[in-house]
Amino acid sequence: DDQTIGAASEDWTFGDGAFQNGSLGDVQHTYINSGSIADLHDAQLIATSAFGCVDTAMHQITVYPPITALFTAPDEGCSPFTVNITDQSTGASQWLWTMGEGTTLVGPNIQHTYVNNSTADQTFTITLVANSAFGCSDTLTHAITIHPSPSASFVATPFNQQFPAATVNINNTTPSGSWTYGWDFGDGATSTAQDPLTHAYGTWGTFTIALVVYSGTCTDTATQQVTIGPPLPTASFIGQGEGCVPLTVSFTNTSLLGETYQWNFGDGGTSQAENPTYTWNTPGTFTVSLTVFAIGGGVNTAIKVDSAIAHPRAQAFFVLQPDQVIVPSQPVFTYNLSGNANSFQWDFGDGGLSTEMNPVYYYQSAGEFDVTLVANNEWNCPDTFRLASAVTGIEAGEIHFPNAFTPGNSGPTDGVYDPHNFDNDFFFPVYDGVQDYHLQVFDRWGELLFETTDIKQGWDGYYRGRPAKQDVYAWKAYARFSSGDETTLSGDVTLLR
């Protein structure tokens, strides 16, 4: 500001090497300080009047270092958007930031989060006022646009299902806005519907459902897993049996969705075959179970109570005495040692049969004979025991009559006697090998009192139902033996009472 009076011309020097001559009035000069400390410059004015008079004035000017406000920031972002700004100013020692929505921050490096809860874009102006230590300041502004961001959310239910149940209900809980939607159901299927409502899966597994919500600029993603469990298998089978041990039953597996199988047959036996055949060797009632294992670990079991009923088999066994007999008079005695049996069928090898438990058998001809016993029980589970060459029948011929007997007093009988009884109640011979026989008994006057052709029938001492008196009686006998010999005998017997 020139305040000189009476000057006709003025010459200026500014102290930085610059000068200006011949001017009158105010002058303008720019000082540049490119350093970091204040510069001092002596400005001088030499004024000359029209009369040649000269006057000089000096003034010291202080030039402070320059200050430049500078920073960089994004032009836009999605809410919530955090900006991190590092000051790039030069010559600044103080920084004042206004963020455009009422927030003020200080410092060279700042962080601030913008939130746009509306559905439209919002623009905020960031202003930096930088001050130097010398009191100089500079200002820089920058506009940032914050776009509204979607907050993707949804609920898919149920979380777990068992196939073939495989439909998931989907509820989009994203707050409303001008959004677009993209669904990925994790099985290759997609949708752009805001609310797809349901999705059906064609198989089992664990699927991640992803929802991406777009605002044009901003996106958000939400995910959730749902599990469709593998289907449970259906265990079932056909097969049962009842019979004698060993009992064999074949099973048909009618299970569905099975991958592997485990059978339990109730007696400790197991199988992993699909359609097994099993044999029970011990009697009993057995429960059979089938456990089916499906893909993915599903398990199901079918049980059939009393599926197999194995009845005990009869055990045929016997011994004989003696193993050599004189035919046809000497008997063979059987001793039945069978178990689990209540009916018997004997075959003595010569055509003779018996259903008695312990029969006594008389062979009628000589030879070597096999004896077979079939033992059976209430469940018709027979067993056969055969003894080869069990009995040898030999031919012989012998007969002897006693000379006295003492008949009983209880009345007449059929005359059939027990040859092993020692009561002596009947008149009969001791014999071997007799095939044909004829016995006659007479009183002393020659009257026929008794006659038989059965050697197993003796005289009981009665005649016409009344006891014969004590006396001596004559007898006459004929015998033909298995040896082929024949004999005719006669004698007398004393009846004693």
PDB file of all heavy atoms in Angstrom, residues 21-55:
ATOM      1  N   ASN A  21      10.652  -0.207 -11.283  1.00  0.00           N
ATOM      2  CA  ASN A  21      11.046   1.207 -11.362  1.00  0.00           C
ATOM      3  C   ASN A  21       9.983   2.010 -12.123  1.00  0.00           C
ATOM      4  O   ASN A  21       9.335   1.512 -13.038  1.00  0.00           O
ATOM      5  CB  ASN A  21      12.377   1.352 -12.090  1.00  0.00           C
ATOM      6  CG  ASN A  21      13.522   0.715 -11.294  1.00  0.00           C
ATOM      7  OD1 ASN A  21      13.514   0.702 -10.081  1.00  0.00           O
ATOM      8  ND2 ASN A  21      14.524   0.193 -12.019  1.00  0.00           N
ATOM      9  N   GLY A  22       9.910   3.345 -11.732  1.00  0.00           N
ATOM     10  CA  GLY A  22       9.101   4.328 -12.455  1.00  0.00           C
ATOM     11  C   GLY A  22       7.637   4.247 -12.222  1.00  0.00           C
ATOM     12  O   GLY A  22       6.851   4.948 -12.853  1.00  0.00           O
ATOM     13  N   SER A  23       7.203   3.446 -11.318  1.00  0.00           N
ATOM     14  CA  SER A  23       5.770   3.322 -11.061  1.00  0.00           C
ATOM     15  C   SER A  23       5.342   4.273  -9.982  1.00  0.00           C
ATOM     16  O   SER A  23       6.151   4.705  -9.150  1.00  0.00           O
ATOM     17  CB  SER A  23       5.423   1.885 -10.685  1.00  0.00           C
ATOM     18  OG  SER A  23       6.065   1.542  -9.475  1.00  0.00           O
ATOM     19  N   LEU A  24       4.123   4.629  -9.969  1.00  0.00           N
ATOM     20  CA  LEU A  24       3.548   5.449  -8.910  1.00  0.00           C
ATOM     21  C   LEU A  24       2.344   4.697  -8.344  1.00  0.00           C
ATOM     22  O   LEU A  24       1.622   4.031  -9.072  1.00  0.00           O
ATOM     23  CB  LEU A  24       3.102   6.812  -9.458  1.00  0.00           C
ATOM     24  CG  LEU A  24       4.224   7.814  -9.813  1.00  0.00           C
ATOM     25  CD1 LEU A  24       3.613   9.048 -10.481  1.00  0.00           C
ATOM     26  CD2 LEU A  24       4.993   8.235  -8.570  1.00  0.00           C
ATOM     27  N   GLY A  25       2.139   4.834  -7.096  1.00  0.00           N
ATOM     28  CA  GLY A  25       0.985   4.218  -6.469  1.00  0.00           C
ATOM     29  C   GLY A  25       1.303   2.806  -5.965  1.00  0.00           C
ATOM     30  O   GLY A  25       2.468   2.401  -5.830  1.00  0.00           O
ATOM     31  N   ASP A  26       0.222   2.109  -5.678  1.00  0.00           N
ATOM     32  CA  ASP A  26       0.360   0.765  -5.095  1.00  0.00           C
ATOM     33  C   ASP A  26       0.985  -0.187  -6.112  1.00  0.00           C
ATOM     34  O   ASP A  26       0.739  -0.087  -7.327  1.00  0.00           O
ATOM     35  CB  ASP A  26      -0.999   0.237  -4.680  1.00  0.00           C
ATOM     36  CG  ASP A  26      -1.612   1.070  -3.545  1.00  0.00           C
ATOM     37  OD1 ASP A  26      -0.862   1.751  -2.852  1.00  0.00           O
ATOM     38  OD2 ASP A  26      -2.873   0.952  -3.368  1.00  0.00           O
ATOM     39  N   VAL A  27       1.793  -1.118  -5.566  1.00  0.00           N
ATOM     40  CA  VAL A  27       2.391  -2.170  -6.397  1.00  0.00           C
ATOM     41  C   VAL A  27       2.038  -3.526  -5.788  1.00  0.00           C
ATOM     42  O   VAL A  27       1.685  -3.621  -4.609  1.00  0.00           O
ATOM     43  CB  VAL A  27       3.912  -2.002  -6.521  1.00  0.00           C
ATOM     44  CG1 VAL A  27       4.260  -0.704  -7.249  1.00  0.00           C
ATOM     45  CG2 VAL A  27       4.569  -2.067  -5.137  1.00  0.00           C
ATOM     46  N   GLN A  28       2.190  -4.527  -6.601  1.00  0.00           N
ATOM     47  CA  GLN A  28       1.886  -5.926  -6.148  1.00  0.00           C
ATOM     48  C   GLN A  28       3.072  -6.802  -6.501  1.00  0.00           C
ATOM     49  O   GLN A  28       3.599  -6.732  -7.629  1.00  0.00           O
ATOM     50  CB  GLN A  28       0.613  -6.449  -6.826  1.00  0.00           C
ATOM     51  CG  GLN A  28       0.216  -7.813  -6.333  1.00  0.00           C
ATOM     52  CD  GLN A  28      -1.109  -8.259  -6.964  1.00  0.00           C
ATOM     53  OE1 GLN A  28      -1.645  -7.575  -7.829  1.00  0.00           O
ATOM     54  NE2 GLN A  28      -1.610  -9.387  -6.503  1.00  0.00           N
ATOM     55  N   HIS A  29       3.485  -7.601  -5.529  1.00  0.00           N
ATOM     56  CA  HIS A  29       4.618  -8.513  -5.744  1.00  0.00           C
ATOM     57  C   HIS A  29       4.327  -9.827  -5.002  1.00  0.00           C
ATOM     58  O   HIS A  29       3.788  -9.809  -3.900  1.00  0.00           O
ATOM     59  CB  HIS A  29       5.914  -7.893  -5.239  1.00  0.00           C
ATOM     60  CG  HIS A  29       7.102  -8.798  -5.450  1.00  0.00           C
ATOM     61  ND1 HIS A  29       7.604  -9.082  -6.691  1.00  0.00           N
ATOM     62  CD2 HIS A  29       7.882  -9.508  -4.562  1.00  0.00           C
ATOM     63  CE1 HIS A  29       8.634  -9.898  -6.576  1.00  0.00           C
ATOM     64  NE2 HIS A  29       8.822 -10.165  -5.262  1.00  0.00           N
ATOM     65  N   THR A  30       4.654 -10.899  -5.654  1.00  0.00           N
ATOM     66  CA  THR A  30       4.413 -12.220  -5.063  1.00  0.00           C
ATOM     67  C   THR A  30       5.718 -12.824  -4.593  1.00  0.00           C
ATOM     68  O   THR A  30       6.685 -12.946  -5.357  1.00  0.00           O
ATOM     69  CB  THR A  30       3.770 -13.164  -6.093  1.00  0.00           C
ATOM     70  OG1 THR A  30       2.519 -12.593  -6.519  1.00  0.00           O
ATOM     71  CG2 THR A  30       3.539 -14.540  -5.493  1.00  0.00           C
ATOM     72  N   TYR A  31       5.715 -13.198  -3.310  1.00  0.00           N
ATOM     73  CA  TYR A  31       6.856 -13.887  -2.730  1.00  0.00           C
ATOM     74  C   TYR A  31       6.579 -15.389  -2.724  1.00  0.00           C
ATOM     75  O   TYR A  31       5.454 -15.832  -2.441  1.00  0.00           O
ATOM     76  CB  TYR A  31       7.107 -13.414  -1.296  1.00  0.00           C
ATOM     77  CG  TYR A  31       7.642 -12.009  -1.219  1.00  0.00           C
ATOM     78  CD1 TYR A  31       6.763 -10.923  -1.063  1.00  0.00           C
ATOM     79  CD2 TYR A  31       9.020 -11.764  -1.283  1.00  0.00           C
ATOM     80  CE1 TYR A  31       7.251  -9.624  -0.981  1.00  0.00           C
ATOM     81  CE2 TYR A  31       9.508 -10.442  -1.200  1.00  0.00           C
ATOM     82  CZ  TYR A  31       8.619  -9.407  -1.063  1.00  0.00           C
ATOM     83  OH  TYR A  31       9.100  -8.138  -0.994  1.00  0.00           O
ATOM     84  N   ILE A  32       7.563 -16.148  -2.970  1.00  0.00           N
ATOM     85  CA  ILE A  32       7.440 -17.614  -2.944  1.00  0.00           C
ATOM     86  C   ILE A  32       8.423 -18.155  -1.938  1.00  0.00           C
ATOM     87  O   ILE A  32       9.630 -17.914  -2.014  1.00  0.00           O
ATOM     88  CB  ILE A  32       7.703 -18.218  -4.331  1.00  0.00           C
ATOM     89  CG1 ILE A  32       6.655 -17.719  -5.345  1.00  0.00           C
ATOM     90  CG2 ILE A  32       7.678 -19.750  -4.247  1.00  0.00           C
ATOM     91  CD1 ILE A  32       6.927 -18.186  -6.753  1.00  0.00           C
ATOM     92  N   ASN A  33       7.843 -18.950  -0.972  1.00  0.00           N
ATOM     93  CA  ASN A  33       8.695 -19.620   0.018  1.00  0.00           C
ATOM     94  C   ASN A  33       8.517 -21.112  -0.221  1.00  0.00           C
ATOM     95  O   ASN A  33       7.467 -21.690   0.091  1.00  0.00           O
ATOM     96  CB  ASN A  33       8.272 -19.239   1.428  1.00  0.00           C
ATOM     97  CG  ASN A  33       9.182 -19.865   2.491  1.00  0.00           C
ATOM     98  OD1 ASN A  33      10.039 -20.693   2.160  1.00  0.00           O
ATOM     99  ND2 ASN A  33       8.979 -19.464   3.757  1.00  0.00           N
ATOM    100  N   SER A  34       9.495 -21.742  -0.757  1.00  0.00           N
ATOM    101  CA  SER A  34       9.422 -23.196  -1.008  1.00  0.00           C
ATOM    102  C   SER A  34      10.110 -23.995   0.085  1.00  0.00           C
ATOM    103  O   SER A  34      10.261 -25.211  -0.007  1.00  0.00           O
ATOM    104  CB  SER A  34      10.054 -23.517  -2.376  1.00  0.00           C
ATOM    105  OG  SER A  34      11.409 -23.082  -2.386  1.00  0.00           O
ATOM    106  N   GLY A  35      10.487 -23.364   1.125  1.00  0.00           N
ATOM    107  CA  GLY A  35      11.162 -24.060   2.226  1.00  0.00           C
ATOM    108  C   GLY A  35      10.188 -24.432   3.305  1.00  0.00           C
ATOM    109  O   GLY A  35       8.980 -24.442   3.127  1.00  0.00           O
ATOM    110  N   SER A  36      10.752 -24.695   4.468  1.00  0.00           N
ATOM    111  CA  SER A  36       9.928 -25.111   5.599  1.00  0.00           C
ATOM    112  C   SER A  36       9.998 -24.140   6.753  1.00  0.00           C
ATOM    113  O   SER A  36       9.430 -24.401   7.817  1.00  0.00           O
ATOM    114  CB  SER A  36      10.367 -26.503   6.078  1.00  0.00           C
ATOM    115  OG  SER A  36      11.728 -26.479   6.473  1.00  0.00           O
ATOM    116  N   ILE A  37      10.735 -23.025   6.551  1.00  0.00           N
ATOM    117  CA  ILE A  37      10.825 -21.986   7.596  1.00  0.00           C
ATOM    118  C   ILE A  37      10.437 -20.658   6.967  1.00  0.00           C
ATOM    119  O   ILE A  37      10.388 -20.499   5.744  1.00  0.00           O
ATOM    120  CB  ILE A  37      12.224 -21.927   8.204  1.00  0.00           C
ATOM    121  CG1 ILE A  37      13.246 -21.551   7.107  1.00  0.00           C
ATOM    122  CG2 ILE A  37      12.610 -23.240   8.889  1.00  0.00           C
ATOM    123  CD1 ILE A  37      14.661 -21.352   7.650  1.00  0.00           C
ATOM    124  N   ALA A  38      10.189 -19.641   7.824  1.00  0.00           N
ATOM    125  CA  ALA A  38       9.774 -18.321   7.338  1.00  0.00           C
ATOM    126  C   ALA A  38      10.958 -17.613   6.673  1.00  0.00           C
ATOM    127  O   ALA A  38      12.098 -17.689   7.139  1.00  0.00           O
ATOM    128  CB  ALA A  38       9.226 -17.496   8.490  1.00  0.00           C
ATOM    129  N   ASP A  39      10.657 -16.917   5.578  1.00  0.00           N
ATOM    130  CA  ASP A  39      11.655 -16.091   4.887  1.00  0.00           C
ATOM    131  C   ASP A  39      11.398 -14.626   5.212  1.00  0.00           C
ATOM    132  O   ASP A  39      10.243 -14.168   5.256  1.00  0.00           O
ATOM    133  CB  ASP A  39      11.550 -16.270   3.368  1.00  0.00           C
ATOM    134  CG  ASP A  39      12.054 -17.638   2.918  1.00  0.00           C
ATOM    135  OD1 ASP A  39      12.766 -18.281   3.704  1.00  0.00           O
ATOM    136  OD2 ASP A  39      11.692 -18.074   1.792  1.00  0.00           O
ATOM    137  N   LEU A  40      12.536 -13.829   5.440  1.00  0.00           N
ATOM    138  CA  LEU A  40      12.450 -12.390   5.732  1.00  0.00           C
ATOM    139  C   LEU A  40      12.985 -11.621   4.518  1.00  0.00           C
ATOM    140  O   LEU A  40      14.099 -11.888   4.035  1.00  0.00           O
ATOM    141  CB  LEU A  40      13.263 -12.028   6.972  1.00  0.00           C
ATOM    142  CG  LEU A  40      12.797 -12.716   8.287  1.00  0.00           C
ATOM    143  CD1 LEU A  40      13.737 -12.353   9.433  1.00  0.00           C
ATOM    144  CD2 LEU A  40      11.370 -12.330   8.613  1.00  0.00           C
ATOM    145  N   HIS A  41      12.212 -10.665   4.038  1.00  0.00           N
ATOM    146  CA  HIS A  41      12.609  -9.860   2.871  1.00  0.00           C
ATOM    147  C   HIS A  41      12.452  -8.371   3.220  1.00  0.00           C
ATOM    148  O   HIS A  41      11.409  -7.980   3.786  1.00  0.00           O
ATOM    149  CB  HIS A  41      11.721 -10.195   1.662  1.00  0.00           C
ATOM    150  CG  HIS A  41      11.805 -11.635   1.264  1.00  0.00           C
ATOM    151  ND1 HIS A  41      12.828 -12.177   0.548  1.00  0.00           N
ATOM    152  CD2 HIS A  41      10.945 -12.672   1.495  1.00  0.00           C
ATOM    153  CE1 HIS A  41      12.631 -13.452   0.330  1.00  0.00           C
ATOM    154  NE2 HIS A  41      11.458 -13.784   0.943  1.00  0.00           N
ATOM    155  N   ASP A  42      13.492  -7.562   2.879  1.00  0.00           N
ATOM    156  CA  ASP A  42      13.466  -6.098   3.121  1.00  0.00           C
ATOM    157  C   ASP A  42      13.009  -5.417   1.834  1.00  0.00           C
ATOM    158  O   ASP A  42      13.747  -5.367   0.826  1.00  0.00           O
ATOM    159  CB  ASP A  42      14.843  -5.566   3.522  1.00  0.00           C
ATOM    160  CG  ASP A  42      15.275  -6.106   4.884  1.00  0.00           C
ATOM    161  OD1 ASP A  42      14.385  -6.300   5.731  1.00  0.00           O
ATOM    162  OD2 ASP A  42      16.475  -6.387   5.084  1.00  0.00           O
ATOM    163  N   ALA A  43      11.804  -4.902   1.904  1.00  0.00           N
ATOM    164  CA  ALA A  43      11.284  -4.151   0.739  1.00  0.00           C
ATOM    165  C   ALA A  43      11.689  -2.661   0.888  1.00  0.00           C
ATOM    166  O   ALA A  43      11.590  -2.092   1.972  1.00  0.00           O
ATOM    167  CB  ALA A  43       9.785  -4.290   0.670  1.00  0.00           C
ATOM    168  N   GLN A  44      12.147  -2.044  -0.205  1.00  0.00           N
ATOM    169  CA  GLN A  44      12.617  -0.626  -0.164  1.00  0.00           C
ATOM    170  C   GLN A  44      11.935   0.159  -1.284  1.00  0.00           C
ATOM    171  O   GLN A  44      11.882  -0.281  -2.423  1.00  0.00           O
ATOM    172  CB  GLN A  44      14.139  -0.584  -0.335  1.00  0.00           C
ATOM    173  CG  GLN A  44      14.703   0.838  -0.338  1.00  0.00           C
ATOM    174  CD  GLN A  44      16.211   0.841  -0.462  1.00  0.00           C
ATOM    175  OE1 GLN A  44      16.898   0.528   0.497  1.00  0.00           O
ATOM    176  NE2 GLN A  44      16.730   1.185  -1.630  1.00  0.00           N
ATOM    177  N   LEU A  45      11.494   1.423  -0.889  1.00  0.00           N
ATOM    178  CA  LEU A  45      10.865   2.349  -1.835  1.00  0.00           C
ATOM    179  C   LEU A  45      11.714   3.625  -1.895  1.00  0.00           C
ATOM    180  O   LEU A  45      11.947   4.268  -0.869  1.00  0.00           O
ATOM    181  CB  LEU A  45       9.436   2.697  -1.405  1.00  0.00           C
ATOM    182  CG  LEU A  45       8.752   3.834  -2.176  1.00  0.00           C
ATOM    183  CD1 LEU A  45       8.649   3.469  -3.671  1.00  0.00           C
ATOM    184  CD2 LEU A  45       7.367   4.125  -1.587  1.00  0.00           C
ATOM    185  N   ILE A  46      12.185   4.001  -3.093  1.00  0.00           N
ATOM    186  CA  ILE A  46      12.913   5.272  -3.305  1.00  0.00           C
ATOM    187  C   ILE A  46      11.989   6.183  -4.124  1.00  0.00           C
ATOM    188  O   ILE A  46      11.645   5.863  -5.268  1.00  0.00           O
ATOM    189  CB  ILE A  46      14.217   5.027  -4.064  1.00  0.00           C
ATOM    190  CG1 ILE A  46      15.092   4.057  -3.255  1.00  0.00           C
ATOM    191  CG2 ILE A  46      14.926   6.341  -4.325  1.00  0.00           C
ATOM    192  CD1 ILE A  46      16.348   3.651  -3.996  1.00  0.00           C
ATOM    193  N   ALA A  47      11.546   7.284  -3.463  1.00  0.00           N
ATOM    194  CA  ALA A  47      10.623   8.221  -4.109  1.00  0.00           C
ATOM    195  C   ALA A  47      11.387   9.487  -4.523  1.00  0.00           C
ATOM    196  O   ALA A  47      12.185  10.051  -3.732  1.00  0.00           O
ATOM    197  CB  ALA A  47       9.481   8.579  -3.170  1.00  0.00           C
ATOM    198  N   THR A  48      11.151   9.990  -5.720  1.00  0.00           N
ATOM    199  CA  THR A  48      11.808  11.216  -6.259  1.00  0.00           C
ATOM    200  C   THR A  48      10.703  12.196  -6.643  1.00  0.00           C
ATOM    201  O   THR A  48       9.761  11.832  -7.362  1.00  0.00           O
ATOM    202  CB  THR A  48      12.635  10.870  -7.490  1.00  0.00           C
ATOM    203  OG1 THR A  48      13.600   9.856  -7.117  1.00  0.00           O
ATOM    204  CG2 THR A  48      13.341  12.097  -8.016  1.00  0.00           C
ATOM    205  N   SER A  49      10.842  13.454  -6.128  1.00  0.00           N
ATOM    206  CA  SER A  49       9.845  14.493  -6.446  1.00  0.00           C
ATOM    207  C   SER A  49      10.161  15.109  -7.794  1.00  0.00           C
ATOM    208  O   SER A  49      11.216  14.863  -8.392  1.00  0.00           O
ATOM    209  CB  SER A  49       9.815  15.547  -5.347  1.00  0.00           C
ATOM    210  OG  SER A  49      11.017  16.338  -5.377  1.00  0.00           O
ATOM    211  N   ALA A  50       9.308  15.952  -8.221  1.00  0.00           N
ATOM    212  CA  ALA A  50       9.517  16.639  -9.496  1.00  0.00           C
ATOM    213  C   ALA A  50      10.682  17.616  -9.431  1.00  0.00           C
ATOM    214  O   ALA A  50      11.229  18.037 -10.466  1.00  0.00           O
ATOM    215  CB  ALA A  50       8.220  17.362  -9.878  1.00  0.00           C
ATOM    216  N   PHE A  51      11.101  17.946  -8.233  1.00  0.00           N
ATOM    217  CA  PHE A  51      12.187  18.891  -8.035  1.00  0.00           C
ATOM    218  C   PHE A  51      13.498  18.168  -7.788  1.00  0.00           C
ATOM    219  O   PHE A  51      14.485  18.778  -7.413  1.00  0.00           O
ATOM    220  CB  PHE A  51      11.862  19.806  -6.838  1.00  0.00           C
ATOM    221  CG  PHE A  51      10.539  20.508  -7.040  1.00  0.00           C
ATOM    222  CD1 PHE A  51       9.395  20.088  -6.384  1.00  0.00           C
ATOM    223  CD2 PHE A  51      10.441  21.610  -7.893  1.00  0.00           C
ATOM    224  CE1 PHE A  51       8.192  20.740  -6.566  1.00  0.00           C
ATOM    225  CE2 PHE A  51       9.212  22.256  -8.054  1.00  0.00           C
ATOM    226  CZ  PHE A  51       8.095  21.829  -7.413  1.00  0.00           C
ATOM    227  N   GLY A  52      13.427  16.826  -7.915  1.00  0.00           N
ATOM    228  CA  GLY A  52      14.660  16.035  -7.762  1.00  0.00           C
ATOM    229  C   GLY A  52      14.976  15.640  -6.342  1.00  0.00           C
ATOM    230  O   GLY A  52      16.078  15.151  -6.060  1.00  0.00           O
ATOM    231  N   CYS A  53      14.022  15.944  -5.497  1.00  0.00           N
ATOM    232  CA  CYS A  53      14.234  15.533  -4.090  1.00  0.00           C
ATOM    233  C   CYS A  53      13.955  14.023  -3.968  1.00  0.00           C
ATOM    234  O   CYS A  53      13.030  13.478  -4.578  1.00  0.00           O
ATOM    235  CB  CYS A  53      13.307  16.322  -3.192  1.00  0.00           C
ATOM    236  SG  CYS A  53      13.607  18.097  -3.236  1.00  0.00           S
ATOM    237  N   VAL A  54      14.750  13.325  -3.126  1.00  0.00           N
ATOM    238  CA  VAL A  54      14.674  11.850  -2.980  1.00  0.00           C
ATOM    239  C   VAL A  54      14.420  11.498  -1.519  1.00  0.00           C
ATOM    240  O   VAL A  54      15.041  12.105  -0.630  1.00  0.00           O
ATOM    241  CB  VAL A  54      15.974  11.173  -3.456  1.00  0.00           C
ATOM    242  CG1 VAL A  54      15.886   9.665  -3.228  1.00  0.00           C
ATOM    243  CG2 VAL A  54      16.251  11.477  -4.922  1.00  0.00           C
ATOM    244  N   ASP A  55      13.545  10.470  -1.330  1.00  0.00           N
ATOM    245  CA  ASP A  55      13.323   9.939   0.038  1.00  0.00           C
ATOM    246  C   ASP A  55      13.227   8.399  -0.071  1.00  0.00           C
ATOM    247  O   ASP A  55      12.763   7.844  -1.082  1.00  0.00           O
ATOM    248  CB  ASP A  55      12.051  10.513   0.625  1.00  0.00           C
ATOM    249  CG  ASP A  55      11.921  10.193   2.108  1.00  0.00           C
ATOM    250  OD1 ASP A  55      12.956   9.885   2.730  1.00  0.00           O
ATOM    251  OD2 ASP A  55      10.773  10.143   2.621  1.00  0.00           O
TER     252      ASP A  55
END
